[in-house]
Amino acid sequence: MTGLRARVRAELTAEIKAAARRQLAAEGANLSLRAIARELGMASSALYRYFASRDDLLTALILEAYEAMGEAAERAEATVARDDYAGRFSACCHAVRDWSLAHPTEYALLYGSPVPGYAAPEATIGPANRPVAVLGSVLRDAVAAGVIEVAPPPDPPELAADLARVLADPHFAGIGEAALLRGFHAWVQLYGAISFELFGRLDNVVTAQDAFFAGQVTAMTRYVLTG
Amino acid sequence: MTGLRARVRAELTAEIKAAARRQLAAEGANLSLRAIARELGMASSALYRYFASRDDLLTALILEAYEAMGEAAERAEATVARDDYAGRFSACCHAVRDWSLAHPTEYALLYGSPVPGYAAPEATIGPANRPVAVLGSVLRDAVAAGVIEVAPPPDPPELAADLARVLADPHFAGIGEAALLRGFHAWVQLYGAISFELFGRLDNVVTAQDAFFAGQVTAMTRYVLTG
DNA sequence: TCAATGTGAGAGCACTGCTCTCGAATTGAA
DNA sequence: TTCAATTCGAGAGCAGTGCTCTCACATTGA
């Protein structure tokens, strides 16, 4: 029987995170522990019983955000016919964008400029790879089905070695260096597209954001699958 | 004869900006007016005679950074033979990356997640377009030379209208909607690639960053010029 | 029952951006 | 040259921040 104390602790921890998310969405990236404490009606010092520091709280939020984005990508990808590789890839891209548009400040937390003092803890690198892993699994299946033709590893050997190291991971095994490289290119472009849109870098230039993004996904899906 | 007071004012203004840049490079994005004042041996309140606020100082730095990056792109592009459109495009991309690697914190200021309270003033949108304008001029020349084949405007009409609005600008006039759209795609990818590298999003994955970037530029140059 | 532990509150430290006031220096015109 | 107007630096002060420490109280498990 989980002690009473443990339960209220878990609940309060969740409440703090919820308030933090709320404040993050309202105020932008500068999260204030004191403001959270005020909102919850407790002393700011009491927060430190639950999170060792502001960075600790941020890390917890980042972790959950990665998981949420990864799960969104996985769910979207799962609804597409398994042999429709372009559709799966595209669905994953759109899911990542949709999640990001729905959670802009959390996206900025994940993919915005890194906070000066803050170094991403080890614990975040796993969940951070989850969205990429979905894209990777599509490529893996496409290669296994013979839809992507295998090409020799790209030059220079140093880059090929990087790719080979990634291919050792079971998530990506079998993709082949050339296709994996194209996948990375697409991942970079996907991130650029979402960041541009979210950070308003195309405001007053591209107003048809949906169509612009969709076209970009079409182009990069073709690039990834057919070279 | 510019009064003595005006001259020392200009000098001090420059010194403040220099100290700010120094501190920005050393400490990361959280610029402290008080720390600048300390470094210059003056009272923090005196800084407000030169910049109305912290955001004002940041805006000044951002403006100069845009100009510096744009100039780097222009200079690099100018050294390539005029009829080597792929070379011009590629040189511009590499110049933007080189400048960014040399000025990482300033790059983060320009293209990182927007600071919550800070709204980019009108004065910055001109210089912000300067790097893009260089890429645009290459496309314009390539189309004029018949190297890029003209294609019908992309769907949907809403997006085509966005592109047509951009084409009204003399910098981009004559490119054509389809090629301009590909140019935007490349610009997005270029930004994504530099951000990924600078923000450490590919650390421990891609170590051959130069080769990775070069390959990406090659791919997107081909995409832009030949579809 | 009771000592060990977990928890909340408050005071306090060093820091931030920013405002205000008050002398002192520089200016340009009379 | 005189003198009012302007500019400027310094200091105090306000409200806010993350974080630490101490102290009283509540909850545990033996």
Side-chain angles (χ1 to χ4, degrees):
Chain A
M1 52 178 176
T2 59
L4 188 151
R5 206 161 211 171
R7 193 158 63 239
V8 313
R9 180 177 182 84
E11 281 174 14
L12 235 181
T13 304
E15 267 189 64
I16 293 172
K17 283 192 281 193
R21 249 188 297 267
R22 212 162 25 236
Q23 192 181 122
L24 216 50
E27 291 293 317
N30 33 13
L31 183 63
S32 158
L33 287 188
R34 292 181 113 111
I36 296 174
R38 268 195 303 273
E39 182 178 332
L40 297 184
M42 64 200 304
S44 67
S45 57
L47 278 186
Y48 287 83
R49 301 281 180 197
Y50 298 86
F51 295 95
S53 70
R54 202 190 86 120
D55 282 0
D56 243 52
L57 213 193
L58 280 181
T59 299
L61 296 180
I62 286 174
L63 261 175
E64 294 190 1
Y66 274 131
E67 300 285 4
M69 175 192 269
E71 194 183 310
E74 285 167 14
R75 290 165 62 104
E77 192 266 350
T79 67
V80 182
R82 302 329 284 155
D83 63 345
D84 178 8
Y85 304 103
R88 286 166 64 185
F89 196 89
S90 168
C92 184
C93 292
H94 277 96
V96 171
R97 172 180 180 250
D98 290 342
W99 183 91
S100 303
L101 290 184
H103 307 84
T105 53
E106 293 179 70
Y107 176 86
L109 221 54
L110 301 184
Y111 294 101
S113 25
V115 181
Y118 180 81
E122 286 290 323
T124 62
I125 69 174
N129 285 336
R130 206 165 146 187
V132 204
V134 184
L135 292 175
S137 71
V138 177
L139 294 194
R140 175 173 34 75
D141 293 358
V143 168
V147 173
I148 295 181
E149 49 183 308
V150 182
D155 278 332
E158 200 189 351
L159 178 59
D162 284 338
L163 297 168
R165 206 173 325 113
V166 176
L167 292 174
D169 183 313
H171 278 296
F172 301 97
I175 296 180
E177 283 87 351
L180 178 66
L181 181 60
R182 291 201 303 274
F184 276 145
H185 289 181
W187 172 238
V188 164
Q189 190 175 358
L190 174 62
Y191 159 83
I194 297 176
S195 295
F196 258 39
E197 182 172 357
L198 243 50
F199 297 167
R201 211 110 279 159
L202 288 178
D203 284 358
N204 309 321
V205 178
V206 175
T207 62
Q209 304 259 30
D210 288 351
F212 181 69
F213 182 81
Q216 219 159 346
V217 169
T218 302
M220 64 202 229
T221 301
R222 186 179 52 221
Y223 170 71
V224 166
L225 291 182
T226 72
Chain B
M1 55 179 179
T2 59
L4 189 150
R5 204 160 210 171
R7 194 159 62 239
V8 313
R9 181 179 180 83
E11 281 174 13
L12 235 181
T13 304
E15 267 189 64
I16 293 172
K17 282 193 281 194
R21 248 188 296 268
R22 214 166 19 239
Q23 191 181 124
L24 216 51
E27 291 292 319
N30 34 11
L31 183 64
S32 159
L33 287 188
R34 291 181 115 111
I36 295 174
R38 270 196 301 272
E39 181 178 334
L40 297 184
M42 62 200 307
S44 66
S45 56
L47 278 187
Y48 287 83
R49 301 280 181 197
Y50 299 87
F51 295 94
S53 70
R54 203 189 85 121
D55 282 359
D56 244 50
L57 213 192
L58 280 181
T59 300
L61 295 179
I62 287 174
L63 262 175
E64 294 191 1
Y66 274 130
E67 300 285 3
M69 176 192 268
E71 194 183 310
E74 285 166 14
R75 289 165 62 103
E77 191 266 351
T79 65
V80 182
R82 302 331 281 156
D83 62 344
D84 178 8
Y85 304 102
R88 286 167 63 186
F89 196 90
S90 167
C92 184
C93 293
H94 276 96
V96 171
R97 172 179 179 252
D98 291 343
W99 184 91
S100 303
L101 289 184
H103 307 84
T105 55
E106 294 179 69
Y107 176 87
L109 222 53
L110 301 185
Y111 294 101
S113 25
V115 181
Y118 180 81
E122 287 291 323
T124 62
I125 69 172
N129 286 336
R130 207 165 145 186
V132 204
V134 185
L135 292 175
S137 71
V138 177
L139 293 195
R140 175 172 35 74
D141 293 357
V143 168
V147 172
I148 295 182
E149 49 182 309
V150 182
D155 279 331
E158 199 189 351
L159 179 58
D162 284 337
L163 297 168
R165 205 175 325 114
V166 176
L167 291 174
D169 183 313
H171 278 296
F172 301 97
I175 294 181
E177 282 88 351
L180 178 66
L181 180 59
R182 292 201 302 275
F184 275 146
H185 289 180
W187 172 238
V188 164
Q189 190 175 358
L190 173 62
Y191 159 84
I194 297 176
S195 296
F196 257 40
E197 181 171 358
L198 243 50
F199 297 167
R201 212 110 278 159
L202 288 177
D203 284 357
N204 308 322
V205 177
V206 174
T207 63
Q209 304 259 32
D210 288 351
F212 181 69
F213 182 81
Q216 218 159 346
V217 169
T218 301
M220 64 202 230
T221 300
R222 187 180 49 221
Y223 170 70
V224 166
L225 291 183
T226 71

